[in-house]
Amino acid sequence: MLSRDLKDRLRAYETPFYLYDMDLLRRTLTRVTGLAREHGFVVHYAIKANFDPRILYEIKESGLGIDCASGNEVRCALEAGFDPRKIVYAGVGKRDKEIRYALEQGIFAINCESVQELHVVDAIAAELGKVQDVGLRINPDIDPRTNSCIDTGQADSKFGISYEEVVSRIDEIKALRNVRVAGVHLHIGSQIRDMQVFEYLCVKANAIVARLTSLGLYFDFVDVGGGLGVNYDIPEREPVPAFESVFDIVAKHLDVGGRPVHFEFGRAIVAQCGELITSVLYNKTTATGRKYIIVDASMTELIRPALYGAYHDIENLTSSATGHDRYTIAGTACESTDVFDEGITLPVTRRGDLLTIKSAGAYGMSMASRYNLHDLPRAVYSDDIN
Ligand SMILES: Cc1ncc(COP(=O)(O)O)c(C=O)c1O
């Protein structure tokens, strides 16, 4: 989060750009690794949230593992120096070439999301003369009480294998020769703020683990996924998310026979350390009286508001005018949904003012596109601003 001192120096950079608070990132990593150590938990970082090389460097140095969702994410993690034995790979539609690549790298586990995928991994492993450790990503049918666009663990979802199917096809799964079921994996959604949801997850996980064990499936670890939410409304109140809450709940309610427990946090690690800095281009008022501020960022830099109505707090960093007004903040892209927020009250805002769109470190840059042939936004790191 920006100090006044830092704000003055942002004028030197061409907008729009992502600004990363590297001290906050390091504080977040110190917190999550310290708590994980106390509990004996293993934490992976979901690289899909942000694959910026300097962010990855800090994460690698902190000792976290990596959770990937594509072959290129596995490649990116390896190039960033992560140990293959700390890499897990989930994803509902892994292509054959991605599976082959992951197998060749000797990653820790592939989390499989259908029985058919297990057979494909088994066949490719056989061709390579390997036995690959896999996790069974099981859909536990839990409502994560979050934005429905980012829930992944309800019965009708495309993610994971239904528990019933795993049970009914357990002999078929056990008979595979070139995959070894090394873990059970659950990930029910993102931006989970209701901590009771994690308790329900533990209760379901306990039942799943007990039943699969009784059916003679022996596995080493249980991965309860990521999903811990952050405070988008008032980020200053909670710069480091509530890792202690989710860890305490899991320590208290998860009972998986002493097996190592893994997490895969994305958003909670990087959301609050990133902001999108943008300049005001134009003010205009529609015939209906709506006051628009057109900024030089758009959904091509940060798609979350346009894609699923996500909220980001916006602040005018440089306004010197007196008084306030109500504005709709819109981007440059040729799409009507390219709006960052509607009807927000800001100090009187004019061409040339700098705005910050906060909590944009997760699923911001990693979802950026070149629509309208915009340039991809650059990154500025607090460590480099002096
Ligand atoms: C399998 C898996 N693990 C972890 C994550 C990270 O989730 P979050 O950023 O909410 O922690 C995701 C996000 O989509 C995921 O699909």
Side-chain angles (χ1 to χ4, degrees):
M1 268 142 238
L2 295 174
S3 68
R4 165 56 56 193
D5 195 34
L6 201 58
K7 288 176 191 174
D8 294 337
R9 278 174 261 181
L10 297 181
R11 290 271 186 211
Y13 301 93
E14 184 184 337
T15 54
F17 61 89
Y18 275 98
L19 174 68
Y20 294 117
D21 180 340
M22 302 307 278
D23 281 333
L24 178 56
L25 173 63
R26 287 186 282 265
R27 271 199 286 138
T28 306
L29 290 168
T30 302
R31 181 91 182 127
V32 67
T33 52
L35 288 167
R37 207 174 305 116
E38 277 171 29
H39 285 285
F41 293 150
V42 178
V43 177
H44 289 85
Y45 165 64
I47 191 172
K48 61 174 77 81
N50 193 318
F51 48 79
D52 178 277
R54 297 227 347 223
I55 288 181
L56 288 184
Y57 173 80
E58 299 292 343
I59 291 171
K60 176 180 67 84
E61 290 299 292
S62 78
L64 296 189
I66 284 278
D67 162 54
C68 298
S70 71
N72 282 345
E73 285 190 358
V74 173
R75 183 174 288 110
C76 178
L78 291 167
E79 284 171 3
F82 284 88
D83 179 345
R85 299 300 303 158
K86 285 185 160 186
I87 296 179
V88 291
Y89 175 17
V92 71
K94 302 178 193 77
R95 302 170 181 100
D96 290 15
K97 73 171 186 183
E98 294 176 302
I99 293 170
R100 184 179 296 275
Y101 174 72
L103 279 166
E104 285 166 351
Q105 307 312 311
I107 68 169
F108 175 71
I110 298 185
N111 290 328
C112 292
E113 308 216 13
S114 65
V115 176
Q116 193 173 25
E117 183 192 334
L118 281 165
H119 282 282
V120 171
V121 175
D122 185 65
I124 295 175
E127 270 171 46
L128 296 174
K130 292 191 164 207
V131 177
Q132 174 64 45
D133 280 357
V134 297
L136 296 181
R137 178 166 179 183
I138 297 178
N139 182 323
D141 191 18
I142 291 179
D143 178 358
R145 299 179 185 167
T146 183
N147 182 329
S148 63
C149 299
I150 50 176
D151 74 30
T152 59
Q154 303 212 59
D156 201 28
S157 151
K158 71 174 178 175
F159 298 100
I161 317 174
S162 86
Y163 169 56
E164 291 73 17
E165 187 179 5
V166 172
V167 169
S168 67
R169 297 176 74 176
I170 197 79
D171 291 334
E172 180 184 340
I173 294 170
K174 286 198 292 187
L176 296 169
R177 286 288 149 257
N178 292 84
V179 296
R180 181 181 83 93
V181 177
V184 163
H185 175 229
L186 310 151
H187 171 75
I188 57 172
S190 201
Q191 185 52 15
I192 299 169
R193 295 285 284 167
D194 179 345
M195 289 296 132
Q196 209 176 26
V197 167
F198 289 109
E199 190 179 322
Y200 297 146
L201 174 64
C202 292
V203 172
K204 279 266 172 109
N206 294 345
I208 291 170
V209 166
R211 181 82 194 278
L212 295 184
T213 307
S214 76
L215 292 172
L217 194 73
Y218 300 108
F219 48 92
D220 312 326
F221 68 89
V222 174
D223 183 335
V224 292
L228 177 63
V230 305
N231 190 337
Y232 281 102
D233 297 331
I234 311 177
E236 293 77 7
R237 278 211 191 138
E238 220 181 305
V240 178
F243 295 106
E244 64 285 356
S245 305
V246 68
F247 282 168
D248 286 348
I249 288 170
V250 171
K252 187 163 167 208
H253 296 281
L254 191 71
D255 177 10
V256 291
R259 293 174 177 90
V261 177
H262 293 205
F263 292 81
E264 303 163 345
F265 298 121
R267 187 186 309 277
I269 291 176
V270 291
Q272 299 296 31
C273 78
E275 304 183 39
L276 180 61
I277 309 294
T278 181
S279 299
V280 175
L281 292 175
Y282 304 109
N283 293 75
K284 67 174 169 186
T285 306
T286 64
T288 58
R290 184 192 286 263
K291 291 185 178 175
Y292 272 102
I293 289 175
I294 310 293
V295 293
D296 66 357
S298 75
M299 62 193 283
T300 60
E301 285 78 26
L302 180 65
I303 199 174
R304 299 184 67 257
L307 185 63
Y308 32 63
Y311 174 78
H312 289 263
D313 188 31
I314 299 176
E315 185 184 326
N316 186 327
L317 295 173
T318 55
S319 171
S320 53
T322 49
H324 288 76
D325 215 336
R326 276 169 75 78
Y327 299 106
T328 292
I329 314 292
T332 59
C334 300
E335 296 291 325
S336 305
T337 57
D338 182 30
V339 168
F340 289 112
D341 206 352
E342 293 183 49
I344 59 164
T345 301
L346 288 180
V348 169
T349 295
R350 302 199 175 113
R351 177 173 168 82
D353 284 347
L354 281 187
L355 305 190
T356 174
I357 304 176
K358 299 179 197 172
S359 314
Y363 308 108
M365 182 61 207
S366 62
M367 286 186 167
S369 78
R370 293 215 52 215
Y371 178 54
N372 290 160
L373 282 182
H374 286 175
D375 293 329
L376 288 174
R378 60 177 290 195
V380 173
Y381 308 91
S382 58
D383 288 351
D384 298 344
I385 306 176
N386 41 44

